[in-house]
Amino acid sequence: MADSDSGGPDGGGYGASGLTAMDPATARHPQPMYRALRESSPVLEVGDAMVLVTRRRDIEHVLRHPETFSSGPAAADLHTDRPLIPLQIDPPGHRGFRRLLDPLLAPQKMNRLADDIAAIVNRRIDGFGGATEIDFATQFSEPFPSEVFLALFGLPYEELPRFHELKDGMIRPDRVVGKPIGHPDTTAHQAATAQAIYAYFDELLADRGPTGDDLLSAFLGAEVDGERLSHTDILDIGFLFLIAGLDTVSASLDCFFAYLAERPEPRRRVADEPESIPRFVEELLRWETPVQFVARVATEDTEVGGCPVRAGQQVMSMLGAANTDDEEFPDADVVDFDRDVNRHLTFGGGIHRCLGSHLARLELRIALREWHRRIPDYAV
């Protein structure tokens, strides 16, 4: 499992790490915990500053009312100079940014990357050589989405180590520094990394124009009704893409492949029936929900599910619990790869629904297809 955003840019929030320390067994199979929380404490106050929400209908209420539950910087402090776009921008400003950005990441635009993404997957697999054992995270799930990001932004492969350094410095500074979240050294490292990310994109923009066919050039040329993105807007969008667009796909791949490694029958079906892969992806996104939480902050005294929430409290929506709620999903505790209707909230909901969801889905589908075409049998 991974505590970060909801599947990609504008997914809904960060800062959930440290909310709860799960033992490894619960982290691997959290669904019983989700049910216990929904049934016993669907809205749970954690200390004075935080409220945990676990029921589907309550989470949808939180996600669909940004006027009461803000996604602004107060929801999660990332030590940035400005709110990240569009994640930390609430209405009315949010609408203008989405009008500019949604067309750039629309399904038809992302589908043009399919061949390039497949080539990246196959180069990764080729790199295994004749090995009979690999480190899946180090050799596949972590570098793969980063390579896609590099291709999307028109950057050379040699930038991969730098991207990982910047990403990890922001998302998991505790692991980099070796001290817990909140420690002065960890906070200082995250703040320094934030400045390094700004400087990195500032450097890229200095050499880029609006006429290229990469996403950064598209940002420079994007216009709706005469409105264009400013230099700082693009810095803030690039910052979000870097920290939101890489880790969540890696986490999803880890969860998907761990699930399939333990279950030969569905694994065989993925290999034999590639046309079924889109449904596999949606059901595993629902069941595994690789990103557990999205953060909001209450802008006023209100209530959720009949429980009081005070202005300034952080409201954490537990997406995994929403995705296994019997009120929404028949046989919610059954992994059904033929599920006809699958309204999961893995990519969040409301106006901040994940901007990068189409790209994430494409990456996951192609990774499953190409891997199982070449390596249908594997185990942890």
Side-chain angles (χ1 to χ4, degrees), residues 3-20:
D3 288 341
S4 55
D5 67 306
S6 178
D10 206 16
Y14 293 83
S17 57
L19 173 64
T20 180

Side-chain angles (χ1 to χ4, degrees), residues 259-276:
Y259 181 93
L260 293 170
E262 297 174 348
R263 295 166 177 85
E265 186 174 341
R267 187 174 72 240
R268 187 74 253 171
R269 184 177 170 190
V270 170
D272 293 343
E273 303 173 24
E275 68 277 5
S276 69

Side-chain angles (χ1 to χ4, degrees), residues 200-266:
Y200 180 71
F201 280 101
D202 202 33
E203 179 184 329
L204 291 179
L205 288 172
D207 297 325
R208 199 65 59 98
T211 57
D213 58 2
D214 60 90
L215 192 57
L216 203 57
S217 297
F219 291 159
L220 288 165
E223 181 177 327
V224 173
D225 297 335
E227 294 292 326
R228 300 176 71 97
L229 295 169
S230 70
H231 181 83
T232 54
D233 288 341
I234 298 173
L235 290 182
D236 298 335
I237 293 167
F239 194 124
L240 178 62
F241 269 70
L242 190 150
I243 63 172
L246 308 182
D247 216 52
T248 50
V249 173
S250 297
S252 299
L253 290 168
D254 292 342
C255 291
F256 286 18
F257 277 78
Y259 181 93
L260 293 170
E262 297 174 348
R263 295 166 177 85
E265 186 174 341

Side-chain angles (χ1 to χ4, degrees), residues 18-356:
L19 173 64
T20 180
M22 285 190 187
D23 64 275
T26 302
R28 289 190 193 98
H29 303 291
Q31 293 82 10
M33 177 194 67
Y34 296 154
R35 178 172 292 279
L37 285 169
R38 283 195 310 270
E39 293 177 351
S40 64
S41 306
V43 181
L44 175 67
E45 191 171 45
V46 182
D48 293 329
M50 185 181 296
V51 175
L52 182 65
V53 184
T54 57
R55 200 161 45 194
R56 167 70 180 238
R57 64 176 182 267
D58 297 332
I59 289 174
E60 285 196 288
H61 174 76
V62 170
L63 298 181
R64 295 184 186 282
H65 288 85
E67 72 283 358
T68 306
F69 303 98
S70 171
S71 184
D77 182 11
L78 296 172
H79 308 289
T80 55
D81 292 345
R82 298 169 300 275
L84 297 182
I85 297 173
L87 170 63
Q88 295 181 321
I89 305 293
D90 287 324
H94 181 270
R95 183 171 181 269
F97 286 117
R98 289 297 293 239
R99 289 178 68 200
L100 279 163
L101 296 172
D102 280 342
L104 301 180
L105 289 107
Q108 61 270 26
K109 286 283 185 72
M110 296 299 96
N111 287 338
R112 297 174 190 170
L113 299 170
D115 290 344
D116 290 338
I117 293 173
I120 290 170
V121 173
N122 281 287
R123 282 200 302 271
R124 281 278 133 202
I125 295 174
D126 290 342
F128 303 160
T132 58
E133 181 176 309
I134 65 162
D135 182 320
F136 182 78
T138 301
Q139 295 177 251
F140 190 80
S141 67
E142 290 181 4
F144 162 59
S146 296
E147 285 192 63
V148 174
F149 185 99
L150 292 172
L152 192 63
F153 275 71
L155 298 171
Y157 175 78
E158 289 71 28
E159 292 290 281
L160 191 62
R162 190 175 183 184
F163 263 67
H164 283 170
E165 180 182 350
L166 294 173
K167 170 179 69 74
D168 290 342
M170 280 302 298
I171 295 176
R172 47 179 65 85
D174 52 327
R175 298 187 192 177
V176 175
V177 175
K179 297 177 181 176
I181 294 290
H183 188 281
D185 291 350
T186 305
T187 301
H189 182 80
Q190 191 176 44
T193 302
Q195 294 306 310
I197 293 173
Y198 284 128
Y200 180 71
F201 280 101
D202 202 33
E203 179 184 329
L204 291 179
L205 288 172
D207 297 325
R208 199 65 59 98
T211 57
D213 58 2
D214 60 90
L215 192 57
L216 203 57
S217 297
F219 291 159
L220 288 165
E223 181 177 327
V224 173
D225 297 335
E227 294 292 326
R228 300 176 71 97
L229 295 169
S230 70
H231 181 83
T232 54
D233 288 341
I234 298 173
L235 290 182
D236 298 335
I237 293 167
F239 194 124
L240 178 62
F241 269 70
L242 190 150
I243 63 172
L246 308 182
D247 216 52
T248 50
V249 173
S250 297
S252 299
L253 290 168
D254 292 342
C255 291
F256 286 18
F257 277 78
Y259 181 93
L260 293 170
E262 297 174 348
R263 295 166 177 85
E265 186 174 341
R267 187 174 72 240
R268 187 74 253 171
R269 184 177 170 190
V270 170
D272 293 343
E273 303 173 24
E275 68 277 5
S276 69
I277 287 174
R279 286 194 176 190
F280 271 72
V281 167
E282 297 307 310
E283 182 68 349
L284 287 174
L285 283 170
R286 180 192 77 84
W287 180 248
E288 295 291 344
T289 314
V291 176
Q292 291 186 33
F293 307 97
V294 292
R296 300 289 187 267
V297 64
T299 61
E300 61 188 21
D301 290 346
T302 184
E303 65 175 40
V304 176
C307 298
V309 175
R310 297 186 301 279
Q313 283 189 308
Q314 190 181 47
V315 180
M316 305 298 295
S317 294
M318 198 169 196
L319 300 180
N323 282 346
T324 50
D325 192 332
D326 296 307
E327 289 187 7
E328 172 63 31
F329 299 98
D331 299 318
D333 288 332
V334 175
V335 179
D336 180 4
F337 293 116
D338 294 309
R339 195 177 293 275
D340 288 325
V341 179
N342 199 335
R343 292 178 59 249
H344 63 74
L345 294 180
T346 300
F347 292 112
I351 63 164
H352 284 289
R353 192 176 187 280
C354 178
L355 178 65

